[in-house]
Amino acid sequence: MTVLPNDLTIRTITGPEELELFNRLPYVQNDELADDLAQGRRRPSWMWMALDGDRLLARLSWWCRPQDDAPFLLDLIDVDDSAHDIDRVAVAEELLRTANAALFPDGVPVAQGTPPPEFLRFVPAGWREDESDRRMVEDRVRAVERSGAVPLVERLRYEWFAGYPVPQPGDRLRFRGIESTEDILGLMTRALDGTLDTHDRLDLEEKSAEEVAAANFADEFAHYDTPRSWWRVATLPDGEPVGFVIPARNAYHPIIAYIAVLPEHRGHGYIDDLLAEGTRVLAEEGVPNIRAATDVGNVPMARAFERAGYDTTSAVVNLTWEK
């Protein structure tokens, strides 16, 4: 086995015309890449390949949101798992090192001096239990770790499909729409108290709950083009808010974008009512499926998805570079 082929070529794709070559390595996102390029969520200069002649050994790509000017996530690193004549981790590491140096010559992607974009990888939910899945995940994680990244969190992805029973909220709560942006921001701020979400907990180490809620709203929820009339606030019969759920559609799928029970009302099973209401809203719109995700450590939320009839479809491994 050789560590790196003598004639290894590392370069970006020339454009959409090379997507067929780029997609020779299978991955769940391959069908989305053409539209991502067309919509500006990916750029040819962010999509790199490691080639041995015309043999694709490894590839990577960054992704951004419509409002971003720089990569937001490193969400695709692949290596040819059938290549036993090379050190697969070394090839992926060299690809990432070369691409990072070209894209971020000063070591940072934006002027504010933040670390490189977080790494995200969709993996089978039970990847540790299958030898080939475990090797696949570990190869990619090792390559990223060698560039200085550290594990951040693992998440679980869930999906509900049209034709499944639609969960129904009980009769303990009432549901209303949001009254204003300030209304939902206030509830989001309150919900951060005691949150189990890893990203929010890290943000709260440096910012106030008001600042974190405002940033979350501005970065994501403010950009949804689905109606805000779908967003639901749960209250007790006297009007006291208990929690909220944000059903929406992102650039790819209908989703449960955010769901939370306020701290003083946790432990009463209200999460089931909120999830049922969010699912009902989207189901009545005739969506073919609904996607959602939560941290592995957020056991109450994971169990709520299971009770509501959502399938566990995959896991997500996240690594990050420390500031």
Side-chain angles (χ1 to χ4, degrees):
M1 180 181 72
T2 59
V3 175
L4 297 174
N6 292 331
D7 58 349
L8 183 68
T9 299
I10 294 178
R11 65 172 177 85
T12 65
I13 66 170
T14 57
E17 67 276 5
E18 285 201 308
L19 273 181
E20 183 177 353
L21 170 61
F22 191 82
N23 281 344
R24 285 182 185 174
L25 299 181
Y27 188 46
V28 66
Q29 289 176 292
N30 281 2
D31 291 341
E32 300 173 353
L33 300 185
D35 189 57
D36 281 350
L37 275 171
Q39 298 300 323
R41 294 186 291 262
R42 299 184 194 272
R43 302 171 191 176
S45 61
W46 299 353
M47 302 175 72
W48 287 72
M49 302 181 293
L51 298 159
D52 182 11
D54 62 355
R55 178 189 178 198
L56 179 64
L57 296 180
R59 63 176 186 166
L60 64 78
S61 175
W62 284 272
W63 174 91
C64 74
R65 303 163 300 183
Q67 67 268 29
D68 295 325
D69 294 323
F72 181 72
L73 287 173
L74 174 62
D75 69 333
L76 197 160
I77 291 183
D78 269 315
V79 63
D80 184 355
D81 295 303
S82 68
H84 301 297
D85 57 330
I86 60 169
D87 185 330
R88 294 185 300 273
V89 175
V91 170
E93 177 190 1
E94 180 69 8
L95 173 63
L96 179 56
R97 185 196 64 79
T98 303
N100 268 335
L103 196 59
F104 311 129
D106 297 324
V108 294
V110 292
Q112 289 86 344
T114 60
E118 183 178 304
F119 170 65
L120 175 154
R121 174 77 188 190
F122 298 129
V123 299
W127 63 269
R128 290 179 178 83
E129 302 166 7
D130 181 272
E131 182 178 352
S132 62
D133 287 342
R134 185 175 66 253
R135 184 181 67 247
M136 176 271 292
V137 175
E138 290 177 347
D139 281 353
R140 289 147 180 79
V141 167
R142 285 195 187 106
V144 178
E145 285 180 328
R146 288 182 183 180
S147 71
V150 295
L152 175 62
V153 66
E154 187 168 335
R155 292 169 62 78
L156 291 171
R157 300 172 74 220
Y158 296 90
E159 193 159 3
W160 179 94
F161 294 93
Y164 284 10
V166 179
Q168 297 296 318
D171 58 4
R172 298 183 297 171
L173 302 177
R174 307 292 181 266
F175 289 93
R176 64 169 174 84
I178 66 166
E179 297 170 352
S180 62
T181 298
E182 291 70 25
D183 178 30
I184 192 65
L185 278 174
L187 295 172
M188 290 172 64
T189 299
R190 292 169 61 185
L192 288 169
D193 184 7
T195 179
L196 297 177
D197 183 90
T198 298
H199 288 88
D200 284 341
R201 290 166 69 94
L202 286 175
D203 288 341
L204 287 168
E205 293 178 2
E206 300 180 350
K207 302 175 184 177
S208 68
E210 291 81 5
E211 291 171 325
V212 172
N216 286 344
F217 185 87
D219 287 346
E220 183 174 358
F221 310 115
H223 298 277
Y224 292 146
D225 57 11
T226 44
R228 291 192 183 180
S229 60
W230 293 1
W231 301 8
R232 313 299 290 161
V233 176
T235 72
L236 296 175
D238 64 3
E240 179 183 351
V242 165
F244 61 93
V245 60
I246 299 181
R249 182 184 176 92
N250 61 18
Y252 305 97
H253 305 282
I255 58 171
I256 299 295
Y258 199 151
I259 183 169
V261 176
L262 300 181
E264 62 270 28
H265 294 292
R266 290 170 187 159
H268 301 290
Y270 292 139
I271 192 67
D272 292 328
D273 301 279
L274 281 160
L275 181 55
E277 177 67 5
T279 304
R280 182 197 64 78
V281 168
L282 290 173
E284 289 189 356
E285 294 296 324
V287 301
N289 66 320
I290 303 170
R291 293 192 177 184
T294 192
D295 289 4
V296 168
N298 193 341
V299 176
M301 190 69 252
R303 289 177 176 169
F305 283 122
E306 293 167 1
R307 288 193 296 268
Y310 281 66
D311 295 335
T312 305
T313 56
S314 70
V316 184
V317 174
N318 294 72
L319 287 83
T320 190
W321 286 262
E322 297 178 338
K323 294 182 180 180

